[in-house]
Amino acid sequence: MTSCKQTTPIRATEDAVIVHVGRALNRLLRVSSKRQQAASVFDSVVPCNISIFEYLLHLWQYTECSNECFVLSAIYIDRLVRKNPIFRLTNKNIHRIVLTSLVLAIKYQDDHYYGNDVFARIGGIGVNELRFLELEFVDLLGCNFFVRPDVYEEYRRELAQATEKNPISVPKLAANVQPVQVAC
């Protein structure tokens, strides 16, 4: 179990990228959960102790990555599901898949980032497990992490439009976010 202390106030996001990605992941989870599949290496013994939306906020606050990484993470997850039709997103694997795809997006997109030990602590898993999950994700995607600018923009726009069509209240991201203990 990991404990993260809040040291800096949460950053503002102009386009509420966390809301957009969270909504998309919840939709993917609903669609994917209808597929039949045996357990995967991403499955935890029990579901994570926080919702996917809370987990995204937690990752967003503590990884200090660019908002673009969250869009790339969603693209990578979409590619994973499309390329591996028998792969199923579940409540037992979505948090680990999000963490792994986000770490890979950060390493691909951002110039400065933490080491795996910090990402693992933030994500609530062991560092060796994160390394293993990264290798598995890379293999499942066939090392395909490049996203053309037009594809990125299309995903970003679709994520935003999906939220606009079905508005949800954006939580107050400032003082209301409390440090959480993540166990995934």
Side-chain angles (χ1 to χ4, degrees), residues 28-101:
L28 258 178
L29 191 58
R30 280 193 308 273
V31 169
S32 180
S33 65
K34 296 174 184 170
R35 298 178 181 171
Q36 299 235 343
Q37 177 207 333
S40 79
V41 297
F42 292 95
D43 287 353
S44 61
V45 176
V46 296
C48 194
N49 63 338
I50 61 175
S51 73
I52 192 61
F53 186 73
E54 291 169 314
Y55 194 63
L56 286 168
L57 282 174
H58 176 79
L59 294 174
W60 179 66
Q61 180 178 10
Y62 292 105
T63 62
E64 299 179 3
C65 68
S66 63
N67 286 343
E68 290 79 9
C69 291
F70 284 91
V71 177
L72 287 174
S73 174
I75 292 170
Y76 296 163
I77 293 169
D78 188 44
R79 283 181 181 175
L80 174 74
V81 172
R82 288 176 192 259
K83 185 173 179 178
N84 304 281
I86 63 165
F87 192 85
R88 189 176 93 151
L89 297 177
T90 69
N91 288 325
K92 288 187 176 181
N93 68 20
I94 188 70
H95 294 80
R96 290 169 184 227
I97 290 170
V98 166
L99 175 64
T100 306
S101 65

Side-chain angles (χ1 to χ4, degrees), residues 97-117:
I97 290 170
V98 166
L99 175 64
T100 306
S101 65
L102 183 63
V103 167
L104 291 167
I106 291 167
K107 290 179 177 182
Y108 191 85
Q109 170 69 25
D110 287 356
D111 292 331
H112 304 284
Y113 52 84
Y114 297 122
N116 274 9
D117 58 326

